[in-house]
Amino acid sequence: GFTGQVAVVTGAGAGLGRSHALALARDGARVVVNDLRPDLAAAVAAEINATGGQAVAEPTDVADRVAVAAMVARVMQQWARVDVLVCNAGLLREKSFARMDMADFDRVVAVHLGGSANCCHAVWEIMRAQGYGRILLTTSTSGLFGNFGQANYGAAKAAMLGLMNVLRIEGQSTASG
C-alpha cells in the first residue's frame, strides 16, 4: 500500500487521473488532486475525504513552472514529503496539421511535455533527498504510432517518452550514487 505516502496526481479531476487519485487514496496515500478546473479538483478531493482518506485540491496549471513550484511548496508545508507523482494532465486540440493553429500546437506541448517536466523538476530533489520516489508519466499510442488530427498531442506524448527514458537513467544513477 501507500500508507504514509503523499501522491501528487495531475489532471485528477476526471477520467484516468481521477481513477489514479481514488486508487492511491484507497491504498492509503494522502493525495494532491491537481486539475486546472477548480470545481473538479475540489469534487475529487471531497470524495476522497468523505471516504476517510486525506486529499487536497490544487487547481494549478502544470504548464506554469512558477505555479507548479508553489503547489509543491504547499504540499511540502502541509505533508513534508512527496513520494509519488502521476503526470496525467492533458488536453486535446485536434485538427489536421494543415488546419492546426500553431498556438494550439504550443499549448498542447506546454501542458503534456512542459507540465510533466515542470512537475518532475519540482519534486526531483525532494525525492532524491528522501531516497525514494516514483514518477509515472501518462503517454499514448498517438505518440508512438501517430493518429490523424493529433500532430500536437502525438509529438508531446512521444517527447514525454524521451523524458521518461532519461529520468529513469538519471534516477537510477541518483539512487545509487
Side-chain angles (χ1 to χ4, degrees):
F2 292 92
T3 302
Q5 294 189 17
V6 175
V8 176
V9 182
T10 72
L16 189 58
R18 177 180 174 273
S19 295
H20 288 316
L22 294 175
L24 285 160
R26 272 192 308 273
D27 283 347
R30 292 168 284 176
V31 181
V32 178
V33 180
N34 164 264
D35 201 283
L36 187 58
R37 298 156 297 185
D39 55 330
L40 295 181
V44 173
E47 185 177 350
I48 290 169
N49 290 325
T51 59
Q54 293 182 60
V56 294
E58 279 288 349
T60 301
D61 181 353
V62 295
D64 181 337
R65 185 173 296 122
V66 173
V68 168
M71 173 181 73
V72 171
R74 287 188 297 274
V75 172
M76 290 301 289
Q77 184 174 13
Q78 180 167 357
W79 285 327
R81 61 186 305 111
V82 176
D83 301 283
V84 177
L85 170 64
V86 179
C87 293
N88 184 73
L91 72 161
L92 290 173
R93 301 245 171 108
E94 296 176 298
K95 278 196 177 153
S96 68
F97 190 68
R99 297 175 187 254
M100 185 174 291
D101 180 332
M102 291 309 286
D104 284 341
F105 189 98
D106 292 345
R107 178 64 179 155
V108 169
V109 171
V111 171
H112 289 273
L113 177 60
S116 294
N118 291 340
C119 291
C120 289
H121 196 262
V123 303
W124 193 261
E125 286 303 315
I126 293 165
M127 290 179 172
R128 193 175 78 73
Q130 291 171 172
Y132 178 85
R134 297 295 181 261
I135 297 173
L136 174 79
L137 305 187
T138 305
T139 190
S140 168
T141 56
S142 292
L144 299 174
F145 306 112
N147 194 21
F148 188 90
Q150 294 187 335
N152 48 10
Y153 180 78
K157 290 302 194 180
M160 287 171 65
L161 184 60
L163 176 62
M164 271 192 291
N165 287 333
V166 171
L167 294 182
R168 178 183 55 80
I169 292 165
E170 291 186 7
Q172 289 173 343
S173 173
T174 299
S176 64

